[in-house]
Amino acid sequence: MQGARHVVCAVSGGVDSAVAALLLRRRGYQVTGVFMKNWDSLDEHGVCTADKDCEDAYRVCQILDIPFHQVSYVKEYWNDVFSDFLNEYEKGRTPNPDIVCNKHIKFSCFFNYAVDNLGADAVATGHYARTSLEDEEVFQQKHVKRPEGLFRNRFEIRNVVKLLQAADSFKDQTFFLSQVSQDALRRTLFPLGGLTKDFVKKIAAENRLHHVLQKKESMGICFVGKRNFENFILQYLQPRPGKFISIEDNKVLGTHKGWFLYTLGQRANIGGLREPWYVVEKDGVRGDVLVAPRTDHPALYRDLLRTGRVHWVAEEPPAALVRDKMMECHFRFRHQMALVRCVLQRGRVPGQWEDPAPGAIRLHTPEGQEQTRCDRGGLQHRPG
């Protein structure tokens, strides 16, 4: 009987998770709200709004007349998300903590808590995303331990669930869900997947959820808050002073506090210069950051990139890639970036690099297609 289905919904104190819980209630499910505290605001002098968010989430559950639970994953977040964030920056890469948080906290710690401690038949979040399963199919899923290994036999996983884009293409959040496990996706509902943000706000306004409707939308990295990002990072990583060098004539344009603070493609903000300069390369040995003028400078663009760690959402690896050693698909490396056509290839691209580690993937745009600018964010691919 559908009314007996127990769905544990993550409630953040925002409008999206509130409406997600409301819609689940309307479907006749037994709904429980859970607020996750992932960052210890006391360590940051109250900059994070976790306590206020928790109060708002509790009030949502009161209005909807559903049970409320609060869990703390501060330790897990520090070990699995924030430490990874610092390590990646120190190596000169720009991580995306939202992707890592979803993988390790929301769809691992919270997922296991909901299933093992609260007896959930399914979990739900306020993400704008969809899967290939209908609600009743989700409730029929059982825990399936995936086989170990980088490239597993794709025939060992039956009835895989696909991660699909939301109806609201602007709010689509599948980029942030791109590393969620198959097992978690099998038992997750996304009630907002078929709705637009404007319609979600309308539902909230009509159902006494004004206190979350009036809140500003959460943007940026929660543990940074409104503080200067460079100052925040340098509280945890040692400064490594270096120079900004023009890629055109090797002229020194200024100095910086650490090459790891900059992302390929971002504006360098060099003191004393009126015209904008953008990061092209970073020399971790010398500590220099190479920059170019103008956003259309050729040095800022690439038509070939290599990635090592690969997470296949539906199968491992796709049949076309196994058969042909390459496949056409679309990719993005930043949220809300337009999908770009590309060719995904295993093995060596002639004239480029050495042979990669097992399982490495090379990705390049087809001949004749406009090159893609390297910029902030991580990589996501989507089959075409």
Side-chain angles (χ1 to χ4, degrees):
M1 181 177 179
Q2 194 178 66
R5 300 298 192 185
H6 182 201
V7 181
V8 176
C9 183
V11 287
S12 65
V15 65
D16 294 330
S17 61
V19 172
L22 168 65
L23 295 177
L24 293 169
R25 190 91 159 80
R26 284 184 176 178
R27 294 178 192 177
Y29 303 142
Q30 175 192 342
V31 182
T32 297
V34 174
F35 177 83
M36 287 170 272
K37 183 177 181 180
N38 299 329
W39 187 255
D40 193 345
S41 59
L42 295 179
D43 288 347
E44 301 302 330
H45 310 292
V47 173
C48 269
T49 59
D51 294 338
K52 178 65 167 62
D53 290 339
C54 184
E55 292 176 9
D56 290 337
Y58 175 66
R59 188 176 170 191
V60 165
C61 292
Q62 284 185 311
I63 293 172
L64 300 182
D65 192 24
I66 62 175
F68 172 81
H69 293 261
Q70 179 184 357
V71 290
S72 175
Y73 297 126
V74 171
K75 179 180 178 180
E76 292 83 354
Y77 191 93
W78 181 278
N79 292 335
D80 296 330
V81 182
F82 188 62
S83 293
D84 173 80
F85 175 84
L86 294 178
N87 290 335
E88 288 294 294
Y89 257 100
E90 200 165 27
K91 294 174 183 175
R93 297 192 285 257
T94 302
N96 190 310
D98 291 325
I99 292 177
V100 181
C101 178
N102 283 326
K103 177 180 180 179
H104 292 294
I105 307 300
K106 294 179 183 176
F107 290 89
S108 181
C109 295
F110 164 68
F111 173 78
N112 291 328
Y113 171 78
V115 173
D116 298 336
N117 293 64
L118 301 182
D121 295 307
V123 301
T125 71
H127 287 102
Y128 288 83
R130 295 178 297 135
T131 73
S132 54
L133 299 180
E134 298 293 335
D135 282 17
E136 198 55 37
E137 293 177 293
V138 171
F139 293 128
Q140 294 171 0
Q141 299 300 314
K142 301 297 181 184
H143 176 75
V144 178
K145 182 175 177 58
R146 304 197 75 186
E148 298 298 326
L150 182 60
F151 289 99
R152 307 172 183 95
N153 184 344
R154 69 189 188 90
F155 297 107
E156 292 182 18
I157 305 298
R158 303 291 181 177
N159 302 318
V160 295
V161 56
K162 298 178 181 179
L163 178 63
L164 306 175
Q165 289 187 349
D168 188 333
S169 59
F170 182 76
K171 288 297 299 180
D172 174 69
Q173 293 174 303
T174 50
F175 176 78
F176 300 117
L177 300 170
S178 57
Q179 292 194 20
V180 173
S181 72
Q182 179 75 192
D183 192 36
L185 280 178
R186 283 174 171 273
R187 302 181 69 175
T188 299
L189 302 175
F190 297 112
L192 308 187
L195 307 179
T196 64
K197 180 72 175 191
D198 288 340
F199 192 61
V200 168
K201 289 181 177 179
K202 183 175 183 291
I203 294 175
E206 293 173 349
N207 289 273
R208 300 183 298 129
L209 296 172
H210 300 285
H211 72 291
V212 293
L213 183 60
Q214 296 168 356
K215 295 177 68 173
K216 289 185 178 181
E217 190 148 5
S218 175
M219 302 291 286
I221 304 172
C222 75
F223 50 75
V224 176
K226 298 179 180 180
R227 289 164 295 181
N228 177 276
F229 180 77
E230 180 177 307
N231 293 340
F232 174 81
I233 289 293
L234 292 178
Q235 291 179 9
Y236 298 92
L237 300 180
Q238 288 294 324
R240 299 180 190 175
K243 303 171 184 177
F244 287 114
I245 298 179
S246 169
I247 197 170
E248 296 191 317
D249 56 13
N250 289 324
K251 180 181 178 182
V252 176
L253 303 176
T255 60
H256 59 77
K257 296 181 180 179
W259 62 276
F260 54 82
L261 295 168
Y262 297 91
T263 298
L264 298 182
Q266 83 168 92
R267 182 170 176 173
N269 291 324
I270 304 172
L273 298 183
R274 296 180 59 184
E275 66 275 15
W277 288 75
Y278 299 88
V279 177
V280 174
E281 297 286 351
K282 299 184 292 184
D283 187 335
V285 177
R286 299 171 60 92
D288 295 333
V289 176
L290 306 181
V291 294
R294 308 185 315 276
T295 58
D296 61 350
H297 195 285
L300 288 167
Y301 291 79
R302 300 287 188 275
D303 60 4
L304 183 67
L305 66 86
R306 172 186 168 185
T307 181
R309 293 175 296 177
V310 180
H311 173 79
W312 306 109
V313 174
E315 58 182 18
E316 305 194 47
L321 189 60
V322 173
R323 181 182 65 248
D324 304 326
K325 306 302 181 184
M326 65 173 60
M327 62 180 284
E328 292 188 0
C329 61
H330 292 78
F331 86 103
R332 63 164 52 102
F333 49 80
R334 183 176 56 181
H335 176 50
Q336 296 181 340
M337 166 188 167
L339 288 170
V340 178
R341 285 184 58 243
C342 68
V343 175
L344 192 66
Q345 181 174 342
R346 289 181 62 189
R348 185 172 184 187
V349 178
Q352 300 290 335
W353 299 300
E354 296 298 321
D355 286 333
I361 299 296
R362 292 202 179 94
L363 187 155
H364 58 93
T365 54
E367 184 177 355
Q369 182 171 320
E370 183 178 352
Q371 293 180 320
T372 302
R373 178 177 168 182
C374 294
D375 211 326
R376 303 188 73 90
L379 173 70
Q380 178 195 33
H381 82 273
R382 184 179 307 283

